[in-house]
Amino acid sequence: MADKIVLWRPMYDQTGHKLLTDAGKDIVIVDSSDAQELVKELQGAKALWVRTPERVTEDILDAAGDLAIVSTSGFGTDNIDIPAATARGILVVNHQGFGRTPVAEHSLMLMMAALKQIRWGDSSARDGSAWNQRTGLDIFELEGKTVGLVGLGYIGSELARKLIHGFNCRVLAYDPYVDPRLALTSGVTLMNDLNAMLSECRILCLCAELTDETRNMISTEQLAAMPEGAVVVNAARGQLLDLDALVKALDNGPVAAAGLDVVYPEPLAPGHPVLTHEKIVLSPHIAGMSVEATNRLAHSAADQIITALGGQLPKFPLNPAAWEGPNARRPG
């Protein structure tokens, strides 16, 4: 009997679907946020692939008695209860390094869009009002600016490289866990104090993972530490940034503009001030969704699921101990 694999939402690149079926797997797609519909389909399933923002909770895992592996859609894992999975002997995998190029590029785009007032420029060019507003515009260059990065991992280090070599920027970084040698070889100045870094940054870009430590790490105090005219960019995780504090900093200073690919919750409720704010450029959590990256992610997901269902440890296990304890569901 073929192994049953449930996909909670279709893969971004459906090459992954074909790879799984070609390997003799039976795939079922749940294209709904309804957790009860998912639970129904998880009966007898050996693997679950889940796309953000759907959340794999302890209750869902309890309802999946045959589940051996859960795969994320990308790098982030904050939508999966990993301790609960480990306790039940279920392996969790992610996909590391595939968002490095597209998310770094998208972060650069948001910086440029904010500095160049693209939100205003696009709408006013379309309605014709721009032609009477072409004096005194606060449009700035990225060249030579001081940029502060929170997080210097896969994406932060790639973004630093592009900023330094492409735009001659001075790049600072706050990351208590990074090897200082990486910063040194990248030409980045590593800062030990977040607020001290923020005080020197014309542009702040968030590149960190979401953890209990980083949740809402940029709020009123941190934004107030930035110089007048600052720009804030987030293409990492929505909960890193306090949106209420951001709106106040945009309205009252010191922040002049922001570029957001991620928010919390997603989507925001109609009428949320972020959605209509003239100083905020938005995109719908697509920074990592280039054609090239989603194809690589599809291959990684299919390869890791197939490997795991064959009883072997896949490439990027996040909780290998799950398959070593008395409750391990390692196939074999």
Side-chain angles (χ1 to χ4, degrees):
M1 183 175 178
D3 291 325
K4 180 181 180 182
I5 299 171
V6 175
L7 309 181
W8 198 0
R9 302 291 190 172
M11 290 187 179
Y12 297 117
D13 184 329
Q14 296 184 17
T15 299
H17 300 188
K18 186 175 186 302
L19 291 169
L20 291 170
T21 55
D22 285 352
K25 309 304 180 185
D26 179 17
I27 67 169
V28 175
I29 300 171
V30 177
D31 197 6
S32 162
S33 292
D34 186 347
Q36 292 307 309
E37 183 180 346
L38 173 72
V39 165
K40 178 182 176 182
E41 294 296 348
L42 282 174
Q43 304 311 304
K46 299 291 187 182
L48 169 64
W49 178 93
V50 57
R51 197 173 88 185
T52 304
E54 313 303 349
R55 307 191 69 80
V56 180
T57 64
E58 184 174 9
D59 288 344
I60 288 173
L61 295 171
D62 275 338
D66 296 310
L67 202 62
I69 179 174
V70 177
S71 170
T72 66
S73 58
F75 179 79
T77 58
D78 49 282
N79 62 324
I80 299 173
D81 190 334
I82 296 177
T86 303
R88 288 155 181 77
I90 302 169
L91 194 69
V92 179
V93 299
N94 70 349
H95 312 284
Q96 300 176 21
F98 299 102
R100 179 183 178 99
T101 296
V103 179
E105 289 183 355
H106 201 90
S107 297
L108 274 173
M109 182 274 293
L110 290 172
M111 288 181 202
M112 300 286 280
L115 288 167
K116 306 297 184 184
Q117 291 201 34
I118 291 299
R119 186 184 190 283
W120 166 82
D122 181 77
S123 62
S124 61
R126 292 175 189 276
D127 66 22
S129 64
W131 310 106
N132 294 320
Q133 303 177 50
R134 292 169 57 81
T135 56
L137 296 175
D138 290 328
I139 292 175
F140 295 95
E141 299 172 3
L142 177 57
E143 180 78 12
K145 296 293 186 292
T146 296
V147 181
L149 307 180
V150 174
L152 195 63
Y154 287 113
I155 293 165
S157 58
E158 175 64 14
L159 179 56
R161 185 183 70 82
K162 295 179 187 302
L163 287 164
I164 292 168
H165 297 291
F167 296 92
N168 297 309
C169 289
R170 174 183 176 230
V171 179
L172 313 178
Y174 174 77
D175 189 334
Y177 303 102
V178 74
D179 188 330
R181 293 173 295 182
L182 174 62
L184 182 65
T185 57
S186 301
V188 176
T189 301
L190 202 59
M191 305 289 284
N192 295 322
D193 183 89
L194 176 59
N195 283 6
M197 182 189 80
L198 294 174
S199 69
E200 298 187 40
C201 294
R202 178 62 183 279
I203 302 166
L204 168 66
C205 187
L206 304 182
C207 305
E209 295 180 53
L210 179 63
T211 65
D212 289 341
E213 183 179 1
T214 62
R215 185 174 282 104
N216 276 340
M217 71 181 300
I218 303 299
S219 191
T220 302
E221 176 188 344
Q222 291 73 33
L223 294 171
M226 300 191 73
E228 285 293 331
V231 170
V232 176
V233 169
N234 187 10
R237 279 292 184 265
Q239 291 186 75
L240 299 175
L241 176 64
D242 181 340
L243 291 182
D244 292 337
L246 175 65
V247 169
K248 290 177 182 176
L250 286 164
D251 289 341
N252 304 313
V255 178
L260 306 177
D261 182 59
V262 290
V263 292
Y264 183 82
E266 291 179 349
L268 292 173
H272 194 288
V274 163
L275 298 176
T276 55
H277 206 293
E278 63 181 12
K279 295 180 180 179
I280 300 178
V281 178
L282 293 171
S283 58
H285 203 150
I286 56 171
M289 290 177 59
S290 68
V291 169
E292 297 87 349
T294 55
N295 181 263
R296 292 190 290 266
L297 286 166
H299 277 82
S300 177
D303 289 346
Q304 291 202 80
I305 290 170
I306 292 166
T307 297
L309 294 182
Q312 302 299 310
L313 200 65
K315 190 172 184 180
F316 299 119
L318 297 171
N319 59 340
W323 273 11
E324 297 168 1
N327 298 322
R329 298 185 190 175
R330 185 172 191 162

